[in-house]
Amino acid sequence: MGGAISLLAVNFVIAQIFVAAFLVIAVKSRHGRAAAWCAAGFAIASLAAICEAVLPFTPVPKFFAVGAFASVLAGFCLLRFGLGLFYGVPAKPAALAAFLIVSVVVDLLIYDLPRGTLQHAFFYQMPFFLIQAWTAAAIMRSPRRSYADRIFVGLLVLNALHFLGKVYAAIAAGAGSTASDYLQSPFALISQALGAALIVGTGVAILGVMVKDIVDAARASSEIDSLSGLWNRRGFIERVAPWLLSRNAKSPGALILTDLDRFKGVNDTYGHHTGDEVIRQFARVLLDLIPSRAAAARLGGEEFAVFLPGVDLADARVVAQGMRAAIASTPIADLPETATITASFGVAAIAPGESLEMALQRADKALYVAKAAGRNRVECAEPTARVVTPVVSQWMRQ
């Protein structure tokens, strides 16, 4: 019995560590509610260790035996609810509550059946199998498909199968004749040892996917321009440069570099609040007109860039003309009706093997021509005569 109680204590301590970890995640993550429900799940499930430790010494073993069963299952139900929030596949609280109540009623009905029999072991372990399988199936319906998510689903499936295996283990190893005898049975050591391993595995897996979400969100926010909602310079380079390196097509795509005309005058005349609204509106114009695979960025100030994959120079010019016409005809809040916002555009077709830096330089020269020619116009860069693959420059490292 001492070995089983020691494992119960270990499981309880492990559960409290995960409770603390999930509470920290709840503070740091955008999915704080999901992490809080997971913390509650581990906290409630850990009460089973207390109930099972008290079993051999209490005059009311039935209360603590059923309490241990209900605690673990309630913890799993809370985890299902929290993970449903995290993965966007929510479970109805009423369905989870009904499942828990029915399962506890079944446990009460089988309480007096002989331990270590198929009838008792099957109906005792089946609710745990079902809740784990339910959670795994829900996550598989989620749009998230990262490597960490797949590992987590695999652990949930393994966890579900482990409860089916415990049906056989309870019969083969013996689970004691009564609930009070459980801690003295060989099955108790097997059950608690497997439980400890799976608690750690499941808890670490959940923490892993949630921490990955925090890291991904932080990385994304560092690559997004907060004012326009477009990629910033870093985010744009990290998406476009690898795309160019991985493609050997005859037409890798085209680059549009654009600059709002006389933007400083807008800020000086109407204020920076209006200037910010111009930036936001122009960003919406770009997003409305580019295809889904394209990338748009605010490189800084009033300068923007658009990458159009697989588009030739003629088509890219048409897109740029559409952008030019759209911003000129778009009303801006806080601007008088007579005030018009225009932009100039430089377009460059990217040659096979050409670096993003070289294409940006050519598009920038075309943009300069458009500015010098009177603004509110589109100019195309001359095609590159030959492509030289340069060493990554300081510009690319910024």
Coordinates of all heavy atoms in Angstrom, one line a residue, residues 65-156:
A65 N -14.7 6.7 -2.7 CA -14.5 5.9 -4.0 C -15.2 6.6 -5.2 O -14.6 6.8 -6.2 CB -14.9 4.5 -3.8
V66 N -16.4 6.9 -4.9 CA -17.2 7.6 -6.0 C -16.6 9.0 -6.2 O -16.5 9.5 -7.3 CB -18.7 7.6 -5.7 CG1 -19.4 8.5 -6.8 CG2 -19.2 6.2 -5.6
G67 N -16.2 9.6 -5.1 CA -15.6 11.0 -5.2 C -14.3 11.0 -6.1 O -14.0 11.9 -6.8
A68 N -13.5 9.9 -5.9 CA -12.2 9.8 -6.7 C -12.6 9.7 -8.2 O -12.0 10.3 -9.1 CB -11.4 8.6 -6.2
F69 N -13.6 8.8 -8.5 CA -14.0 8.6 -9.8 C -14.5 9.9 -10.4 O -14.2 10.3 -11.5 CB -15.1 7.6 -9.9 CG -15.8 7.4 -11.2 CD1 -15.3 6.5 -12.1 CD2 -16.9 8.1 -11.5 CE1 -15.9 6.3 -13.4 CE2 -17.6 8.0 -12.7 CZ -17.1 7.1 -13.7
A70 N -15.4 10.6 -9.7 CA -16.0 11.8 -10.2 C -15.0 13.0 -10.3 O -15.1 13.8 -11.3 CB -17.1 12.3 -9.2
S71 N -14.0 13.0 -9.5 CA -13.0 14.1 -9.6 C -12.2 14.0 -10.8 O -12.0 15.0 -11.5 CB -12.1 14.0 -8.3 OG -12.8 14.3 -7.1
V72 N -11.7 12.8 -11.1 CA -10.9 12.6 -12.3 C -11.7 12.9 -13.6 O -11.3 13.6 -14.5 CB -10.3 11.1 -12.4 CG1 -9.6 10.9 -13.7 CG2 -9.4 10.9 -11.3
L73 N -12.9 12.3 -13.6 CA -13.8 12.5 -14.8 C -14.2 14.0 -15.0 O -14.2 14.5 -16.1 CB -15.0 11.7 -14.7 CG -15.9 11.6 -16.0 CD1 -15.0 11.0 -17.1 CD2 -17.1 10.7 -15.8
A74 N -14.5 14.7 -13.8 CA -14.8 16.1 -13.9 C -13.6 16.9 -14.4 O -13.7 17.9 -15.2 CB -15.3 16.6 -12.5
G75 N -12.4 16.5 -14.0 CA -11.2 17.2 -14.4 C -11.0 17.0 -15.9 O -10.7 18.0 -16.7
F76 N -11.3 15.8 -16.4 CA -11.2 15.6 -17.9 C -12.2 16.4 -18.6 O -12.0 16.9 -19.8 CB -11.4 14.1 -18.2 CG -10.1 13.3 -17.8 CD1 -10.2 11.9 -17.7 CD2 -8.9 13.9 -17.6 CE1 -9.1 11.1 -17.4 CE2 -7.8 13.1 -17.3 CZ -7.9 11.7 -17.2
C77 N -13.4 16.5 -18.1 CA -14.5 17.3 -18.7 C -14.1 18.8 -18.8 O -14.3 19.5 -19.8 CB -15.8 17.2 -18.0 SG -16.6 15.5 -18.1
L78 N -13.5 19.3 -17.7 CA -13.0 20.7 -17.7 C -11.9 20.9 -18.7 O -11.8 21.9 -19.4 CB -12.5 21.1 -16.3 CG -13.6 21.2 -15.2 CD1 -13.0 21.5 -13.9 CD2 -14.6 22.3 -15.6
L79 N -11.0 19.9 -18.9 CA -10.0 20.0 -19.9 C -10.6 20.0 -21.3 O -10.2 20.7 -22.2 CB -9.0 18.8 -19.8 CG -8.0 18.9 -18.6 CD1 -7.2 17.5 -18.5 CD2 -7.1 20.0 -18.8
R80 N -11.6 19.2 -21.5 CA -12.3 19.1 -22.8 C -12.9 20.5 -23.1 O -12.8 21.0 -24.2 CB -13.4 18.1 -22.8 CG -14.4 18.2 -23.9 CD -13.8 17.9 -25.3 NE -14.7 18.1 -26.4 CZ -14.8 19.3 -27.1 NH1 -14.1 20.3 -26.7 NH2 -15.7 19.3 -28.1
F81 N -13.5 21.1 -22.1 CA -14.1 22.5 -22.3 C -13.0 23.5 -22.6 O -13.1 24.3 -23.5 CB -14.9 22.9 -21.0 CG -15.7 24.1 -21.2 CD1 -16.9 24.1 -21.9 CD2 -15.2 25.3 -20.7 CE1 -17.6 25.3 -22.1 CE2 -15.9 26.5 -20.9 CZ -17.1 26.5 -21.6
G82 N -11.9 23.5 -21.8 CA -10.8 24.5 -22.0 C -10.1 24.3 -23.4 O -9.9 25.2 -24.1
L83 N -9.9 23.0 -23.7 CA -9.2 22.8 -25.0 C -10.2 23.1 -26.2 O -9.7 23.5 -27.3 CB -8.8 21.3 -25.1 CG -7.6 21.0 -24.2 CD1 -7.4 19.5 -24.1 CD2 -6.3 21.7 -24.6
G84 N -11.5 22.9 -25.9 CA -12.4 23.3 -27.0 C -12.4 24.8 -27.3 O -12.4 25.2 -28.4
L85 N -12.2 25.6 -26.2 CA -12.0 27.0 -26.4 C -10.8 27.4 -27.1 O -10.7 28.2 -28.0 CB -12.0 27.8 -25.0 CG -13.3 27.7 -24.2 CD1 -13.1 28.4 -22.9 CD2 -14.5 28.4 -25.0
F86 N -9.7 26.7 -26.8 CA -8.4 26.9 -27.4 C -8.4 26.6 -28.9 O -7.8 27.3 -29.7 CB -7.3 26.1 -26.6 CG -5.9 26.4 -27.2 CD1 -5.2 27.5 -26.8 CD2 -5.3 25.4 -28.0 CE1 -3.9 27.7 -27.3 CE2 -4.0 25.6 -28.5 CZ -3.3 26.7 -28.2
Y87 N -9.0 25.4 -29.2 CA -8.9 24.9 -30.6 C -10.1 25.4 -31.4 O -10.2 25.1 -32.6 CB -8.8 23.4 -30.6 CG -7.4 22.9 -30.3 CD1 -7.1 22.5 -29.0 CD2 -6.5 22.8 -31.3 CE1 -5.8 22.0 -28.8 CE2 -5.2 22.3 -31.1 CZ -4.9 21.9 -29.8 OH -3.6 21.5 -29.6
G88 N -11.0 26.1 -30.8 CA -12.2 26.6 -31.6 C -13.2 25.5 -31.9 O -13.9 25.6 -32.9
V89 N -13.2 24.5 -31.1 CA -14.2 23.4 -31.2 C -14.9 23.2 -29.8 O -14.8 22.2 -29.2 CB -13.6 22.1 -31.7 CG1 -13.3 22.1 -33.1 CG2 -12.3 21.8 -30.9
P90 N -15.7 24.2 -29.4 CA -16.3 24.3 -28.1 C -17.2 23.1 -27.8 O -17.9 22.7 -28.7 CB -17.0 25.6 -28.0 CG -17.3 26.0 -29.4 CD -16.1 25.4 -30.2
A91 N -17.3 22.7 -26.6 CA -18.2 21.7 -26.1 C -19.3 22.4 -25.4 O -19.1 23.4 -24.7 CB -17.6 20.6 -25.3
K92 N -20.5 21.9 -25.5 CA -21.7 22.5 -24.8 C -21.6 22.1 -23.3 O -21.5 20.9 -23.0 CB -23.0 22.0 -25.4 CG -23.2 22.5 -26.8 CD -24.6 22.0 -27.3 CE -24.8 22.5 -28.7 NZ -26.1 22.0 -29.3
P93 N -21.6 23.0 -22.4 CA -21.5 22.7 -21.0 C -22.6 21.7 -20.5 O -22.3 20.8 -19.7 CB -21.7 24.1 -20.3 CG -21.2 25.1 -21.3 CD -21.6 24.5 -22.6
A94 N -23.8 21.9 -21.1 CA -24.9 21.0 -20.7 C -24.6 19.5 -21.1 O -24.9 18.6 -20.4 CB -26.2 21.4 -21.4
A95 N -23.9 19.3 -22.3 CA -23.6 18.0 -22.7 C -22.5 17.4 -21.8 O -22.6 16.2 -21.4 CB -23.1 18.0 -24.2
L96 N -21.5 18.2 -21.4 CA -20.5 17.7 -20.5 C -21.0 17.4 -19.2 O -20.7 16.4 -18.5 CB -19.4 18.7 -20.4 CG -18.4 18.9 -21.6 CD1 -17.5 20.1 -21.4 CD2 -17.6 17.6 -21.8
A97 N -21.9 18.2 -18.7 CA -22.5 18.0 -17.3 C -23.4 16.7 -17.4 O -23.3 15.9 -16.4 CB -23.4 19.2 -16.9
A98 N -24.1 16.5 -18.5 CA -25.0 15.3 -18.6 C -24.1 14.1 -18.6 O -24.4 13.1 -18.0 CB -25.9 15.4 -19.8
F99 N -23.0 14.2 -19.4 CA -22.1 13.0 -19.5 C -21.5 12.7 -18.1 O -21.4 11.5 -17.7 CB -21.0 13.4 -20.4 CG -19.8 12.4 -20.5 CD1 -20.0 11.2 -21.2 CD2 -18.6 12.6 -19.8 CE1 -19.0 10.2 -21.2 CE2 -17.6 11.7 -19.9 CZ -17.8 10.5 -20.6
L100 N -21.1 13.7 -17.3 CA -20.5 13.5 -16.0 C -21.6 12.9 -15.1 O -21.3 11.9 -14.3 CB -20.0 14.8 -15.4 CG -19.5 14.8 -14.0 CD1 -18.2 13.9 -14.0 CD2 -19.1 16.2 -13.6
I101 N -22.8 13.4 -15.1 CA -23.8 12.9 -14.2 C -24.2 11.4 -14.5 O -24.3 10.6 -13.6 CB -25.1 13.8 -14.2 CG1 -24.8 15.2 -13.7 CG2 -26.2 13.2 -13.5 CD1 -25.9 16.2 -13.9
V102 N -24.3 11.1 -15.7 CA -24.7 9.8 -16.1 C -23.6 8.8 -15.7 O -23.8 7.7 -15.2 CB -25.0 9.7 -17.6 CG1 -25.1 8.2 -18.1 CG2 -26.2 10.4 -18.0
S103 N -22.3 9.2 -15.9 CA -21.2 8.4 -15.6 C -21.1 8.1 -14.1 O -20.8 7.0 -13.7 CB -19.9 9.0 -16.1 OG -19.9 9.2 -17.5
V104 N -21.3 9.1 -13.3 CA -21.3 9.0 -11.8 C -22.4 8.0 -11.4 O -22.3 7.2 -10.5 CB -21.4 10.3 -11.1 CG1 -21.6 10.2 -9.6 CG2 -20.2 11.2 -11.4
V105 N -23.6 8.2 -12.0 CA -24.7 7.3 -11.7 C -24.4 5.8 -12.0 O -24.6 4.9 -11.2 CB -26.0 7.7 -12.4 CG1 -27.1 6.7 -12.3 CG2 -26.5 9.0 -11.9
V106 N -23.7 5.6 -13.1 CA -23.3 4.3 -13.5 C -22.3 3.7 -12.5 O -22.3 2.6 -12.1 CB -22.7 4.3 -14.9 CG1 -22.0 2.9 -15.2 CG2 -23.8 4.6 -16.0
D107 N -21.4 4.6 -12.1 CA -20.4 4.2 -11.1 C -21.1 3.8 -9.8 O -20.6 2.8 -9.1 CB -19.4 5.3 -10.8 CG -18.2 4.9 -9.9 OD1 -17.6 3.8 -10.2 OD2 -18.0 5.6 -8.9
L108 N -22.1 4.5 -9.4 CA -22.8 4.1 -8.2 C -23.5 2.8 -8.3 O -23.6 2.0 -7.4 CB -23.9 5.2 -7.9 CG -23.3 6.5 -7.3 CD1 -24.4 7.6 -7.3 CD2 -22.8 6.3 -5.9
L109 N -24.1 2.5 -9.5 CA -24.8 1.3 -9.8 C -23.8 0.1 -9.8 O -24.2 -1.0 -9.4 CB -25.5 1.4 -11.1 CG -26.7 2.4 -11.2 CD1 -27.2 2.4 -12.6 CD2 -27.8 2.0 -10.2
I110 N -22.6 0.3 -10.2 CA -21.7 -0.9 -10.3 C -20.8 -1.0 -9.0 O -19.9 -1.9 -8.9 CB -20.8 -0.8 -11.5 CG1 -19.8 0.4 -11.4 CG2 -21.6 -0.7 -12.8 CD1 -18.7 0.5 -12.5
Y111 N -21.0 -0.1 -8.1 CA -20.1 0.0 -6.9 C -20.0 -1.4 -6.2 O -19.0 -1.8 -5.7 CB -20.6 1.1 -5.9 CG -19.7 1.2 -4.7 CD1 -18.5 1.9 -4.8 CD2 -20.1 0.6 -3.5 CE1 -17.7 1.9 -3.7 CE2 -19.3 0.7 -2.4 CZ -18.1 1.3 -2.5 OH -17.3 1.4 -1.4
D112 N -21.1 -2.1 -6.1 CA -21.2 -3.3 -5.3 C -20.8 -4.5 -6.1 O -20.7 -5.7 -5.6 CB -22.5 -3.5 -4.7 CG -22.8 -2.5 -3.6 OD1 -21.9 -2.1 -2.9 OD2 -24.0 -2.0 -3.5
L113 N -20.5 -4.4 -7.4 CA -20.1 -5.5 -8.2 C -18.7 -5.9 -7.7 O -17.9 -5.1 -7.3 CB -20.0 -5.1 -9.7 CG -21.4 -5.0 -10.4 CD1 -21.2 -4.5 -11.8 CD2 -22.2 -6.2 -10.3
P114 N -18.3 -7.2 -7.9 CA -17.0 -7.6 -7.5 C -15.9 -6.9 -8.3 O -16.0 -6.7 -9.5 CB -17.0 -9.1 -7.8 CG -18.4 -9.5 -7.8 CD -19.1 -8.3 -8.3
R115 N -14.8 -6.4 -7.6 CA -13.7 -5.7 -8.2 C -12.9 -6.7 -9.1 O -12.9 -7.9 -8.8 CB -12.8 -5.1 -7.2 CG -13.5 -4.2 -6.2 CD -13.8 -2.9 -6.8 NE -14.9 -2.2 -6.1 CZ -15.1 -0.9 -6.2 NH1 -14.3 -0.1 -7.0 NH2 -16.2 -0.4 -5.6
G116 N -12.3 -6.3 -10.1 CA -11.5 -7.1 -11.0 C -12.3 -8.0 -11.9 O -11.8 -8.9 -12.5
T117 N -13.6 -7.7 -12.0 CA -14.4 -8.4 -13.0 C -14.6 -7.6 -14.3 O -14.5 -6.4 -14.2 CB -15.8 -8.8 -12.4 OG1 -16.5 -7.6 -12.1 CG2 -15.6 -9.6 -11.1
L118 N -15.0 -8.2 -15.3 CA -15.1 -7.5 -16.6 C -16.3 -6.5 -16.5 O -16.1 -5.4 -17.0 CB -15.5 -8.5 -17.7 CG -15.8 -7.9 -19.1 CD1 -14.5 -7.1 -19.6 CD2 -16.2 -9.0 -20.1
Q119 N -17.4 -6.9 -15.8 CA -18.5 -6.0 -15.7 C -18.1 -4.7 -15.0 O -18.4 -3.6 -15.5 CB -19.7 -6.6 -15.0 CG -20.3 -7.8 -15.7 CD -19.6 -9.1 -15.4 OE1 -18.4 -9.1 -14.8 NE2 -20.3 -10.2 -15.6
H120 N -17.4 -4.8 -13.9 CA -17.1 -3.6 -13.1 C -16.0 -2.8 -13.8 O -16.1 -1.6 -14.0 CB -16.6 -4.0 -11.7 CG -16.2 -2.8 -10.8 ND1 -15.0 -2.2 -10.9 CD2 -17.0 -2.1 -9.9 CE1 -15.1 -1.1 -10.1 NE2 -16.2 -1.1 -9.5
A121 N -14.9 -3.5 -14.3 CA -13.8 -2.8 -14.9 C -14.2 -2.1 -16.2 O -13.8 -0.9 -16.4 CB -12.7 -3.8 -15.2
F122 N -15.1 -2.7 -17.0 CA -15.5 -2.1 -18.2 C -16.3 -0.8 -18.0 O -16.0 0.2 -18.6 CB -16.3 -3.1 -19.0 CG -16.8 -2.5 -20.3 CD1 -16.0 -2.5 -21.5 CD2 -18.1 -2.0 -20.4 CE1 -16.5 -1.9 -22.7 CE2 -18.6 -1.5 -21.6 CZ -17.7 -1.5 -22.7
F123 N -17.3 -0.9 -17.2 CA -18.2 0.3 -17.0 C -17.5 1.4 -16.2 O -17.8 2.5 -16.3 CB -19.5 -0.2 -16.3 CG -20.4 -0.9 -17.2 CD1 -20.6 -2.3 -17.1 CD2 -21.1 -0.2 -18.2 CE1 -21.4 -2.9 -17.9 CE2 -21.9 -0.9 -19.0 CZ -22.1 -2.3 -18.9
Y124 N -16.4 1.0 -15.4 CA -15.7 2.0 -14.6 C -14.8 2.8 -15.5 O -14.6 4.0 -15.4 CB -14.9 1.3 -13.5 CG -14.2 2.2 -12.5 CD1 -14.9 2.6 -11.4 CD2 -13.0 2.8 -12.8 CE1 -14.2 3.5 -10.5 CE2 -12.3 3.7 -12.0 CZ -13.0 4.0 -10.8 OH -12.4 4.9 -9.9
Q125 N -14.1 2.1 -16.4 CA -13.1 2.7 -17.3 C -13.7 3.4 -18.5 O -13.0 4.3 -19.1 CB -12.0 1.7 -17.7 CG -11.3 1.0 -16.6 CD -10.4 2.0 -15.7 OE1 -10.1 3.1 -16.2 NE2 -10.1 1.6 -14.5
M126 N -14.8 2.9 -19.0 CA -15.4 3.4 -20.2 C -15.6 4.9 -20.3 O -15.3 5.6 -21.3 CB -16.7 2.7 -20.6 CG -17.2 3.0 -21.9 SD -16.0 2.8 -23.3 CE -15.6 1.0 -23.1
P127 N -16.1 5.6 -19.2 CA -16.3 7.0 -19.3 C -14.9 7.8 -19.5 O -14.9 8.8 -20.2 CB -16.9 7.4 -17.9 CG -17.6 6.1 -17.5 CD -16.7 5.0 -18.0
F128 N -13.9 7.3 -18.9 CA -12.6 7.9 -19.1 C -12.1 7.8 -20.6 O -11.5 8.7 -21.2 CB -11.5 7.3 -18.2 CG -11.9 7.5 -16.7 CD1 -12.1 6.4 -15.9 CD2 -12.0 8.8 -16.1 CE1 -12.5 6.6 -14.6 CE2 -12.3 8.9 -14.8 CZ -12.6 7.8 -14.0
F129 N -12.3 6.6 -21.1 CA -12.0 6.3 -22.5 C -12.8 7.3 -23.4 O -12.3 7.9 -24.3 CB -12.3 4.9 -22.9 CG -12.3 4.6 -24.4 CD1 -11.1 4.5 -25.1 CD2 -13.5 4.6 -25.1 CE1 -11.1 4.3 -26.5 CE2 -13.5 4.3 -26.4 CZ -12.3 4.2 -27.1
L130 N -14.1 7.4 -23.1 CA -15.0 8.2 -24.0 C -14.6 9.7 -23.9 O -14.6 10.4 -25.0 CB -16.4 8.1 -23.6 CG -17.0 6.7 -23.8 CD1 -18.4 6.6 -23.3 CD2 -17.0 6.4 -25.3
I131 N -14.3 10.3 -22.8 CA -14.0 11.7 -22.7 C -12.6 12.0 -23.4 O -12.5 13.0 -24.0 CB -14.0 12.2 -21.2 CG1 -13.9 13.7 -21.2 CG2 -12.8 11.5 -20.4 CD1 -15.0 14.4 -21.8
Q132 N -11.7 11.1 -23.3 CA -10.4 11.3 -24.0 C -10.6 11.2 -25.5 O -10.0 12.0 -26.2 CB -9.4 10.2 -23.5 CG -9.0 10.4 -22.0 CD -8.2 11.6 -21.8 OE1 -7.2 11.9 -22.4 NE2 -8.6 12.4 -20.7
A133 N -11.3 10.2 -25.9 CA -11.6 10.0 -27.3 C -12.4 11.2 -27.9 O -12.2 11.7 -29.0 CB -12.4 8.7 -27.6
W134 N -13.3 11.7 -27.1 CA -14.1 12.9 -27.5 C -13.2 14.1 -27.7 O -13.4 14.8 -28.6 CB -15.2 13.1 -26.4 CG -16.2 14.2 -26.6 CD1 -16.3 15.0 -27.8 CD2 -17.2 14.7 -25.7 NE1 -17.3 15.9 -27.6 CE2 -17.9 15.7 -26.4 CE3 -17.5 14.3 -24.4 CZ2 -18.9 16.4 -25.8 CZ3 -18.6 15.0 -23.8 CH2 -19.3 16.0 -24.5
T135 N -12.3 14.3 -26.7 CA -11.4 15.4 -26.8 C -10.5 15.3 -28.1 O -10.3 16.3 -28.8 CB -10.5 15.5 -25.6 OG1 -11.4 15.6 -24.4 CG2 -9.6 16.8 -25.6
A136 N -9.9 14.1 -28.3 CA -9.1 13.9 -29.5 C -9.8 14.1 -30.8 O -9.3 14.8 -31.7 CB -8.5 12.5 -29.4
A137 N -11.1 13.6 -30.8 CA -11.9 13.8 -32.1 C -12.2 15.3 -32.3 O -12.2 15.8 -33.5 CB -13.2 13.0 -31.9
A138 N -12.4 16.0 -31.2 CA -12.7 17.5 -31.4 C -11.5 18.2 -31.9 O -11.6 19.1 -32.8 CB -13.2 18.0 -30.0
I139 N -10.3 17.9 -31.4 CA -9.1 18.6 -31.8 C -8.8 18.3 -33.3 O -8.3 19.1 -34.0 CB -8.0 18.3 -30.9 CG1 -8.2 18.8 -29.5 CG2 -6.6 18.8 -31.4 CD1 -7.2 18.4 -28.4
M140 N -9.1 17.1 -33.7 CA -8.9 16.7 -35.1 C -9.7 17.5 -36.0 O -9.4 17.6 -37.2 CB -9.1 15.2 -35.2 CG -8.0 14.3 -34.6 SD -8.4 12.5 -34.6 CE -8.2 12.3 -36.4
R141 N -10.9 18.0 -35.5 CA -11.7 18.8 -36.4 C -11.3 20.3 -36.4 O -11.8 21.0 -37.2 CB -13.2 18.8 -35.9 CG -13.8 17.4 -35.9 CD -15.4 17.5 -35.8 NE -15.8 18.4 -34.7 CZ -16.0 18.0 -33.5 NH1 -15.9 16.7 -33.1 NH2 -16.4 18.8 -32.5
S142 N -10.3 20.6 -35.6 CA -9.9 22.0 -35.5 C -9.0 22.3 -36.7 O -8.4 21.4 -37.3 CB -9.0 22.2 -34.3 OG -8.3 23.4 -34.3
P143 N -9.0 23.6 -37.2 CA -8.2 24.0 -38.3 C -6.7 24.0 -38.0 O -5.8 24.0 -38.9 CB -8.7 25.4 -38.6 CG -9.3 25.9 -37.4 CD -9.9 24.7 -36.7
R144 N -6.3 23.9 -36.7 CA -4.9 23.9 -36.3 C -4.3 22.6 -36.7 O -4.8 21.5 -36.4 CB -4.7 24.1 -34.8 CG -5.2 25.5 -34.3 CD -5.1 25.5 -32.8 NE -3.8 25.3 -32.4 CZ -3.0 26.3 -31.9 NH1 -3.5 27.5 -31.8 NH2 -1.8 26.1 -31.4
R145 N -3.2 22.6 -37.4 CA -2.5 21.4 -37.9 C -1.0 21.4 -37.7 O -0.3 20.8 -38.5 CB -2.8 21.2 -39.4 CG -4.3 20.9 -39.8 CD -4.7 19.5 -39.3 NE -6.0 19.2 -39.8 CZ -7.1 19.5 -39.1 NH1 -7.0 20.1 -38.0 NH2 -8.3 19.1 -39.6
S146 N -0.6 22.0 -36.6 CA 0.9 22.1 -36.4 C 1.4 20.7 -35.9 O 0.6 19.9 -35.5 CB 1.2 23.2 -35.4 OG 0.9 22.8 -34.1
Y147 N 2.7 20.6 -36.0 CA 3.3 19.3 -35.5 C 3.0 19.1 -34.0 O 2.7 18.0 -33.6 CB 4.9 19.4 -35.7 CG 5.6 18.2 -35.4 CD1 5.4 17.0 -36.2 CD2 6.5 18.1 -34.4 CE1 6.1 15.8 -35.9 CE2 7.2 16.9 -34.1 CZ 7.0 15.8 -34.9 OH 7.7 14.7 -34.6
A148 N 3.0 20.1 -33.2 CA 2.7 20.0 -31.8 C 1.3 19.6 -31.6 O 1.0 18.7 -30.7 CB 3.0 21.3 -31.1
D149 N 0.4 20.1 -32.4 CA -1.0 19.7 -32.3 C -1.2 18.2 -32.6 O -2.0 17.5 -31.9 CB -1.9 20.5 -33.2 CG -1.9 22.0 -32.9 OD1 -1.9 22.3 -31.6 OD2 -1.7 22.8 -33.8
R150 N -0.5 17.7 -33.6 CA -0.6 16.3 -34.0 C 0.0 15.4 -32.9 O -0.6 14.3 -32.6 CB 0.1 16.0 -35.3 CG -0.6 16.7 -36.5 CD -0.1 16.1 -37.8 NE 1.3 16.5 -38.1 CZ 1.6 17.6 -38.8 NH1 0.7 18.4 -39.3 NH2 2.9 17.9 -39.0
I151 N 1.1 15.8 -32.3 CA 1.6 15.0 -31.2 C 0.6 15.0 -30.0 O 0.4 13.9 -29.4 CB 2.9 15.7 -30.7 CG1 4.0 15.5 -31.8 CG2 3.4 15.1 -29.4 CD1 5.4 16.1 -31.4
F152 N 0.0 16.1 -29.8 CA -1.0 16.2 -28.7 C -2.2 15.2 -28.9 O -2.6 14.5 -28.0 CB -1.5 17.6 -28.5 CG -2.5 17.8 -27.4 CD1 -2.3 17.1 -26.2 CD2 -3.6 18.6 -27.5 CE1 -3.2 17.2 -25.1 CE2 -4.5 18.7 -26.5 CZ -4.3 18.1 -25.3
V153 N -2.7 15.2 -30.2 CA -3.8 14.3 -30.5 C -3.3 12.9 -30.3 O -4.1 12.0 -29.8 CB -4.2 14.6 -31.9 CG1 -5.2 13.4 -32.4 CG2 -4.9 15.9 -32.1
G154 N -2.1 12.6 -30.7 CA -1.6 11.2 -30.5 C -1.5 10.8 -29.1 O -1.9 9.7 -28.7
L155 N -1.2 11.8 -28.2 CA -1.1 11.5 -26.7 C -2.5 11.2 -26.2 O -2.7 10.4 -25.3 CB -0.5 12.6 -26.0 CG 1.1 12.6 -26.0 CD1 1.6 13.9 -25.4 CD2 1.6 11.4 -25.2
L156 N -3.5 12.0 -26.7 CA -4.9 11.8 -26.2 C -5.4 10.5 -26.7 O -6.1 9.8 -25.9 CB -5.8 12.9 -26.8 CG -5.6 14.3 -26.2 CD1 -6.4 15.3 -26.9 CD2 -6.0 14.3 -24.7

